[in-house]
Amino acid sequence: MLRWLPPNISEYAQGIDTLFELIYWITVVAFVLVMGTLIVFLIKYRHREGHRAEYIEGSTKLEIIWTAATTVIVFGLAMLSFPQWNNLKSAPDNPDYVVQVRGEQFNWYMIYPGPDNEIGTEDDLELENELHVPEDKLVQIILTSKDVIHSFFIPNLRLKQDALPNRFLDNIKFQAREPGTYEIPCAELCGFGHTTMVGFLHVHTQEEYDDWVKEQWPE
Amino acid sequence: MQENENISHEHDDDEQHEHAHDDNDTPQHTHEHDDDGQHEHEHHHEESFIRKYIFSLDHKMIGKQFLIYGLIMLFVGGGLALLFRWQLAYPGRPLPIIGASQQYIDEGEIVTSNDKRWDKIFESEKEELMETHFPNGVIEDKTYNMLFTMHATIMVFFVVVPILVGAFGNFLIPLMIGTRDMAFPILNMLSFWLAVLAAIVMAAGFFVPGGHAGAGWTGYAPLSVDPQWTDVGWGQNLWAISLLIQGFSSLVGSINYITTVINMRAPGMTFFRLPLVIWSLFIVAILLLLAFPVLSSALALLIFDRLAGTTFFTTTPEGGGDPLLWQHLFWFFGHPEVYILILPGMGIASELIAVNSRKPIFGYRSMVYAMIAIAFLGWIVWGHHMFQSGMRPGMGSFFMTTTMLIAVPSAIKTFNWLGTMFRGSIRFTTPMLHGIAFVSMFVIGGLSGIYMANTPVDIYIHDTYYIVAHIHYVVFGGSLFAMFGGIVFWYPKMYGKYMNDTLNKIHFWITFIAFNCTFFPMHILGVGGHMRRIANPQFYDFLQGFEGMNIFITMSAFTLGFAQLILVFNFFWSMKRGKVAEKNPWNVTTLEWEAPTPVPHGNFAQIPTVYRGPYEYSVPGEESDWLPQAQPEHAPASAGD
Ligand code: HEM
Ligand SMILES: [Cu+2]
Ligand SMILES: [Cu+2]
C-alpha cells in the first residue's frame, strides 16, 4: 500500500511516512487477527445437526483485557504523534526564505519579498502559480486567501494547510531535498474551478536559484 | 423501576380499552377518549385508504413509509454517484445514453466550459437544464460539484437516517418494547410528512437557475454563503431550507422515540432487558435531539447571510464574522451525526448475530456502556475534521486524544460480536451474512479511522480519497449492510411474506464483492494523494498512474448500483408473490415476534409481560434453544408454531 505514496522530498515530514508505516503494520496485524478469528469461528461454530450453542453471557476478564489493550495501543500512537504534530504545525524560528501565498479562485499567487526581505513593499514580486525555492533551505509560507477557503497541498512534501480568507497563517514550513518540479493542488473545494487549481513548486539548486533571483531583481 | 412499570400499566389500560373494539369487537370502552371524535375515527375497522396508507398514525405504516421513502432516495442518491463516477473514469467523455452529443460524434472532442462561465457569471439568462448542466453531454466541473454535494446530502439525510432511524425505529420500538403504538402518533405522522416536504424542497433545487447546491455536503462557508463564488443561487438556499425542515422532522421523531422508550415499556421490560437495537435507537434519538438544533441554527444563520445580508460566516472588515464558525457548528453536529448513522446499524447487527448464532450477546452490558460512551465522547471529537484548518497544535492534540479514545468503545463492540459467535451454532441465513459483512466492513472502517485520527498522518490524507474510503466503509459497509440485513430479517413481520431467499443471496454476494471492489481501491488512491471532490484526476501529473484504478472503481460502482435493483425487485415482488410467513420464522426471543403476522392495529391481542432478557438462546436445561422474553417461567413456549 505504501509504495503508492509519491516520493517524499521533505526534510521535516519524513516522520509522517514512518508513522504511516507504523500504523499500517498495526492495523494490518489487528485486521488479520480479527478477521482470522472471525473466519475460524464461522467455520468451527457453524450450525451442525444435534449440536447446541454454549450459553455464554460474557467475561469481565476479557472485556478488561481488550479494553486495556486497545487503549494502550491508541494512546501509544497518540503519544508518538504529539511531538511531531507540534513540530509540523508550528511556525519556524529562523526561516531562510519567506514567501507569502494567496489562494484566489482558482490560482495560487506567490508573493516574494524581494531584496529587502519584507512583504508589502515596492520590490515585491507576485507570480501566478510558481513557487521557486532553493533546495535544503528552510522556507516559510505565509498562507492566506482572498475569497473562499482553499487548501495548500504539496503531496511530495506531505504538507497541507487550509488557506483562510483574511487570515495569515505562519505555521507552514518545509525544506525540500530534491530539485525538480512538483504540483501544488488545492485540496479544499473552492468552487467550479477547484479541479483545475494547481500551482507548481520549483525546487532549484542553490546556483540555479541565485540565477533566478538575479533575473527577477536585476541590478 | 417500580415507577416505570406503573406508568406502563396505566398506559396499557388506556390503550387496551381503546383498541378493544378494534381487535375483538368488544365495545367496553370507559374512558373519556371515546368522546373524542378523532380517536373514534382513528380506530375504526374500515379505515379509509388515505387514513391507512397515507396519513397513517400507525407506527408500523409510518415505518414502512419511511422505508419506501428511503429506498427511493437511495436510488436518487446512487444515480447521482454513478453519473459522477463516469466522469472520474472517463473525464470529459460524454455520458452514455443521456450524453450522446452531436459535437462529440462529429468532432470527437469537447471544449471545456469554465472559460465561458466566467463571462456568463453575472448574467441571468435562462437556459436549458441539460445544456447548462451537461453541455455536449459532458458533466462540466460545476455540475460535478452539484452531483457529489447532492449525492452525499441525500445519502446522509434522506437515506440512512430515514431508513435506519425512521423506518426501523418506528417499526421496531413499539413492537420490541411491547406497546401498542408510539407515545405521540400525530407527531409521528408529522415527522414523516415533514421529511416528505424536505425531500420535495430538496428536489426542487435541481430545477432552479444556477443549479443545485455545490459547496459539498459540509457546505463550508464562505463558499456556501456568497453566490459570486459558486454561481449557485437558490439551489443553495433550498438546500439549507430543506435541511432545516428535515431537522424538524428528526426532532419531532426523536422526542417521540425517547418518550416511548422511557414510558411505554411492557411490564417487566426493564432498561437492561431492552434489545440492543432499541438501546441504539434510544441513544440515537437523544443524539438527534441534541445535535440537530446545532445544525439548524447554523443553517438559519447561513440563510440570513445569504438572504438578509448578515455576515456570520464571512470576513469583511466591517462584518466581523468568521468562516471557521461554520465549521465548528457543522462538525459539532456532524460528528454526533456520523454516529447517528452507525449506532442503529450496530444495534441491528447485534440482533442478527445473536439470533443466528443462537447465543446470548457476549457482554450485553458492556455493549450498552460502549454505546453510551460513544454517545458522550461523540461530542468532543468534532475538531478532528478541522485538523488542517489552522487550529493551534495544542487543540489538534486534544482532539487527537479524544478521537483515539472513541476508537476504544468501537473496538469493544467488535470483540463482543466475535465473542457472541464463539461456541455458537451459526446459521448462515441471509440476515446473518449481512451481519457478518457489517462486522468485517466496520473493522476496516474503524481501522482506517486510526490513520486519520493520527494528526501527522492526517496532514497528508485529509481531503483525499482516503477519507472517501473511510466514510463508505463505515456508512455503506456498516449502516447499509445492517439495513439490508434488517430488511430481510424483519420483512416477514412487516409484510407477512418471505422475501425470495435465492434472490437475496445473489444480492448479498454481488453487493459484498462489488462494494469492496469499489471502495477498497479508494484507500490506495488516497495514499497516492488523490484529492476528493475533483472532477478530473487526469489533470494532474502525479495522478496519472491512477487512471486504470479509477476505471475499475467505476465499473464496480455500476455493478454495485445495478445489484440494488435485485433487492428492490424482490422487495416489491415478495409483497405480492412471497410465501406467507409464519409468526416467528427465525425463532427469535424478542417481543415483536409475539405479535400476530401481519401485525394488526394495536400490535398485541394482549400486552405481553416480560420475564427475562432479550438474548436467552441455548439456555442449559431448556428443551428448545430459545426462551422468549414473554414466556412465563416453567411454561411451554407460547410462540413458535
Ligand atoms: C474508530 C472510529 C473512528 C475514527 C477514529 C474516525 C476518525 C475520523 C477522522 C479523524 C475523520 C476526519 C478525517 C479528515 O477529514 O481528515 C473522519 C471522517 C469521517 N468519518 Fe470517521 N472515524 C471513526 C468512525 C466513523 C464512523 C462510525 C462513521 C460513520 C458511520 C464515520 C464517518 C465519517 C465521515 C462521514 C467522515 C467524513 C466527513 C467529511 O469530511 O465529509 N467515522 N473520521
Ligand atoms: Cu480548491
Ligand atoms: Cu468525526
Side-chain angles (χ1 to χ4, degrees):
Chain A
M1 175 99 98
L2 295 176
R3 68 192 177 83
W4 293 95
L5 282 167
N8 187 341
I9 59 158
S10 168
E11 188 69 41
Y12 273 91
Q14 291 300 321
I16 291 185
D17 288 14
T18 318
L19 264 176
F20 208 138
E21 193 159 349
L22 176 68
I23 301 176
Y24 176 70
W25 286 111
I26 292 178
T27 51
V28 164
V29 170
F31 179 73
V32 169
L33 285 181
V34 173
M35 293 318 268
T37 316
L38 177 66
I39 290 169
V40 169
F41 283 6
L42 291 182
I43 296 171
K44 211 166 155 196
Y45 305 121
R46 69 186 184 281
H47 170 69
R48 277 158 300 166
E49 230 28 80
H51 201 88
R52 213 176 142 106
E54 208 170 295
Y55 184 85
I56 308 171
E57 282 189 293
S59 150
T60 316
K61 202 171 121 205
L62 277 176
E63 301 281 352
I64 292 173
I65 291 177
W66 57 51
T67 308
T70 353
T71 313
V72 167
I73 291 174
V74 293
F75 274 93
L77 275 176
M79 298 308 261
L80 283 177
S81 321
F82 290 142
Q84 283 223 30
W85 168 250
N86 284 331
N87 181 21
L88 287 166
K89 284 283 177 180
S90 54
D93 286 335
N94 291 306
D96 299 318
Y97 297 90
V98 179
V99 182
Q100 183 175 318
V101 174
R102 168 166 47 86
E104 186 179 334
Q105 284 187 334
F106 297 99
N107 290 292
W108 296 111
Y109 293 92
M110 324 298 190
I111 301 145
Y112 300 82
D116 67 352
N117 269 330
E118 252 180 73
I119 290 169
T121 48
E122 282 278 301
D123 63 349
D124 286 1
L125 171 71
E126 180 169 316
L127 293 180
E128 201 179 286
N129 292 325
E130 281 180 46
L131 180 55
H132 295 270
V133 298
E135 63 177 327
D136 290 330
K137 285 284 156 52
L138 179 55
V139 181
Q140 179 182 25
I141 304 286
I142 308 284
L143 189 63
T144 185
S145 160
K146 176 132 186 287
D147 36 41
V148 299
I149 299 178
H150 303 270
S151 192
F152 186 73
F153 179 30
I154 308 180
N156 296 88
L157 288 173
R158 307 289 186 269
L159 183 154
K160 187 180 287 130
Q161 175 61 53
D162 288 2
L164 303 167
N166 290 344
R167 287 194 193 218
F168 294 81
L169 301 177
D170 61 0
N171 63 347
I172 305 130
K173 59 177 181 289
F174 62 85
Q175 209 166 331
R177 299 196 301 189
E178 289 286 322
T181 300
Y182 308 93
E183 280 163 306
I184 313 179
C186 169
E188 182 69 64
L189 176 66
C190 57
F192 53 80
H194 169 60
T195 303
T196 48
M197 177 162 174
V198 62
F200 295 91
L201 167 70
H202 301 279
V203 181
H204 303 285
T205 58
Q206 190 66 48
E207 301 92 78
E208 263 175 31
Y209 181 77
D210 292 338
D211 290 347
W212 177 81
V213 169
K214 281 209 196 81
E215 234 171 80
Q216 305 303 324
W217 290 277
E219 105 219 65
Chain B
M1 211 60 264
Q2 195 51 43
E3 208 176 45
N4 272 327
E5 285 178 19
N6 277 341
I7 295 171
S8 325
H9 275 301
E10 261 166 45
H11 179 83
D12 293 342
D13 287 352
D14 248 25
E15 287 284 291
Q16 231 153 330
H17 287 303
E18 267 185 72
H19 285 271
H21 53 178
D22 215 36
D23 300 334
N24 350 330
D25 275 359
T26 39
Q28 40 160 250
H29 28 20
T30 50
H31 286 287
E32 67 280 5
H33 279 295
D34 295 326
D35 308 329
D36 187 336
Q38 213 201 337
H39 267 267
E40 194 60 20
H41 178 70
E42 168 194 336
H43 294 294
H44 249 291
H45 237 326
E46 309 278 312
E47 288 177 311
S48 67
F49 179 82
I50 292 194
R51 261 276 177 241
K52 186 154 178 213
Y53 293 105
I54 301 183
F55 294 108
S56 173
L57 294 174
D58 182 1
H59 72 99
K60 298 180 291 295
M61 183 50 71
I62 297 175
K64 291 178 200 171
Q65 287 174 328
F66 265 119
L67 183 55
I68 308 252
Y69 169 101
L71 287 176
I72 293 172
M73 297 309 269
L74 179 65
F75 276 83
V76 177
L80 296 174
L82 295 187
L83 284 178
F84 66 72
R85 262 327 306 180
W86 174 267
Q87 164 74 9
L88 284 169
Y90 309 108
R93 198 187 297 179
L95 291 161
I97 310 168
I98 25 178
S101 90
Q102 205 51 47
Q103 188 192 350
Y104 184 77
I105 295 164
D106 293 347
E107 300 162 31
E109 124 182 87
I110 306 290
V111 208
T112 65
S113 49
N114 265 357
D115 308 333
K116 283 187 249 160
R117 179 161 298 284
W118 277 116
D119 312 329
K120 231 169 35 191
I121 200 159
F122 290 113
E123 286 178 32
S124 61
E125 28 173 289
K126 272 199 179 155
E127 284 141 307
E128 279 287 336
L129 201 64
M130 285 300 281
E131 236 341 274
T132 28
H133 288 338
F134 308 105
N136 307 313
V138 180
I139 297 178
E140 67 147 341
D141 290 1
K142 188 191 155 200
T143 312
Y144 183 88
N145 292 351
M146 171 182 102
L147 292 176
F148 72 71
T149 298
M150 294 320 298
H151 161 70
T153 304
I154 288 177
M155 288 302 188
V156 169
F157 295 100
F158 293 83
V159 176
V160 179
V161 174
I163 294 186
L164 285 183
V165 185
F168 286 112
N170 260 307
F171 188 80
L172 295 179
I173 289 177
L175 279 171
M176 289 181 104
I177 67 174
T179 182
R180 297 194 183 281
D181 207 321
M182 284 286 181
F184 308 116
I186 296 185
L187 285 189
N188 208 11
M189 177 181 81
L190 184 68
S191 162
F192 176 71
W193 286 103
L194 281 174
V196 172
L197 181 63
I200 292 171
V201 174
M202 196 54 95
F206 284 104
F207 304 100
V208 295
H212 215 320
W217 80 282
T218 49
Y220 273 15
L223 187 64
S224 55
V225 173
D226 198 329
Q228 70 165 307
W229 309 131
T230 50
D231 190 21
V232 172
W234 265 87
Q236 192 79 41
N237 298 346
L238 291 175
W239 176 84
I241 293 169
S242 165
L243 290 185
L244 262 180
I245 303 173
Q246 194 73 331
F248 279 113
S249 161
S250 295
L251 209 60
V252 169
S254 58
I255 291 171
N256 209 353
Y257 290 10
I258 295 170
T259 316
T260 308
V261 172
I262 291 181
N263 286 330
M264 293 170 66
R265 283 164 291 121
M269 181 62 98
T270 60
F271 265 101
F272 279 112
R273 283 178 180 174
L274 285 176
L276 286 178
V277 67
I278 300 300
W279 263 110
S280 72
L281 289 162
F282 179 58
I283 292 170
V284 160
I286 297 173
L287 288 180
L288 274 173
L289 181 72
L290 300 177
F292 238 112
V294 180
L295 178 67
S296 300
S297 9
L299 289 167
L301 299 183
L302 179 67
I303 293 171
F304 286 144
D305 270 10
R306 287 182 67 86
L307 297 179
T310 55
T311 59
F312 292 107
F313 300 129
T314 52
T315 45
T316 50
E318 329 75 74
D322 195 330
L324 286 182
L325 175 61
W326 169 269
Q327 293 187 22
H328 282 291
L329 291 174
F330 185 87
W331 288 118
F332 189 75
F333 148 81
H335 192 84
E337 168 74 11
V338 306
Y339 280 101
I340 289 167
L341 301 177
I342 194 73
L343 281 172
M346 293 175 161
I348 291 173
S350 303
E351 304 299 322
L352 303 181
I353 290 171
V355 171
N356 288 293
S357 305
R358 313 308 292 164
K359 270 195 60 196
I361 281 284
F362 193 91
Y364 170 87
R365 287 204 178 215
S366 63
M367 287 297 238
V368 173
Y369 295 141
M371 286 198 278
I372 295 176
I374 286 174
F376 271 103
L377 290 172
W379 296 102
I380 47 168
V381 301
W382 82 91
H384 66 214
H385 297 272
M386 299 167 63
F387 283 148
Q388 313 317 329
S389 69
M391 62 168 61
R392 278 210 327 253
M395 284 314 283
S397 298
F398 169 77
F399 283 117
M400 165 165 51
T401 313
T402 54
T403 305
M404 290 293 191
L405 208 57
I406 208 170
V408 175
S410 306
I412 295 176
K413 295 201 70 93
T414 307
F415 293 133
N416 279 310
W417 286 316
L418 289 184
T420 305
M421 295 181 218
F422 174 65
R423 298 208 173 146
S425 173
I426 299 171
R427 275 141 224 229
F428 294 98
T429 59
T430 314
M432 183 60 173
L433 295 180
H434 284 288
I436 296 166
F438 172 92
V439 174
S440 13
M441 300 301 95
F442 182 72
V443 168
I444 298 182
L447 289 176
S448 66
I450 306 275
Y451 290 74
M452 301 177 307
N454 195 273
T455 43
V457 175
D458 185 68
I459 297 177
Y460 180 64
I461 56 181
H462 173 68
D463 267 327
T464 65
Y465 264 79
Y466 202 89
I467 312 296
V468 181
H470 166 74
I471 301 171
H472 288 92
Y473 266 90
V474 278
V475 183
F476 195 134
S479 315
L480 285 198
F481 273 105
M483 175 195 99
F484 294 142
I487 289 178
V488 179
F489 185 69
W490 280 292
Y491 193 91
K493 196 45 82 179
M494 282 189 179
Y495 294 102
K497 301 279 177 69
Y498 291 116
M499 290 178 85
N500 181 306
D501 197 51
T502 316
L503 284 181
N504 272 335
K505 288 241 159 66
I506 296 174
H507 166 255
F508 170 78
W509 284 109
I510 299 183
T511 305
F512 184 74
I513 293 166
F515 166 80
N516 279 291
C517 290
T518 306
F519 294 108
F520 197 82
M522 290 189 186
H523 291 107
I524 299 174
L525 295 183
V527 173
H530 193 314
M531 292 79 71
R532 68 196 274 213
R533 298 175 172 178
I534 55 167
N536 184 358
Q538 291 306 305
F539 184 78
Y540 294 89
D541 275 342
F542 78 105
L543 297 178
Q544 288 305 316
F546 289 117
E547 189 178 10
M549 202 174 282
N550 266 320
I551 293 176
F552 175 75
I553 291 176
T554 296
M555 300 211 290
S556 312
F558 273 85
T559 316
L560 183 60
F562 283 103
Q564 304 320 308
L565 293 173
I566 304 176
L567 179 83
V568 167
F569 168 76
N570 196 355
F571 186 88
F572 288 106
W573 184 82
S574 303
M575 266 186 215
K576 285 255 170 300
R577 297 287 169 79
K579 234 176 64 197
V580 175
E582 300 158 57
K583 186 170 155 197
N584 190 353
W586 319 99
N587 294 349
V588 189
T589 54
T590 43
L591 294 184
E592 79 273 29
W593 304 96
E594 301 287 335
T597 300
V599 190
H601 204 80
N603 298 347
F604 301 96
Q606 206 186 352
I607 291 292
T609 306
V610 174
Y611 296 95
R612 57 183 66 76
Y615 302 110
E616 295 299 289
Y617 293 101
S618 307
V619 181
E622 289 290 328
E623 200 183 312
S624 81
D625 71 350
W626 53 294
L627 252 183
Q629 283 193 283
Q631 180 184 312
E633 305 289 347
H634 311 298
S638 67
D641 349 64

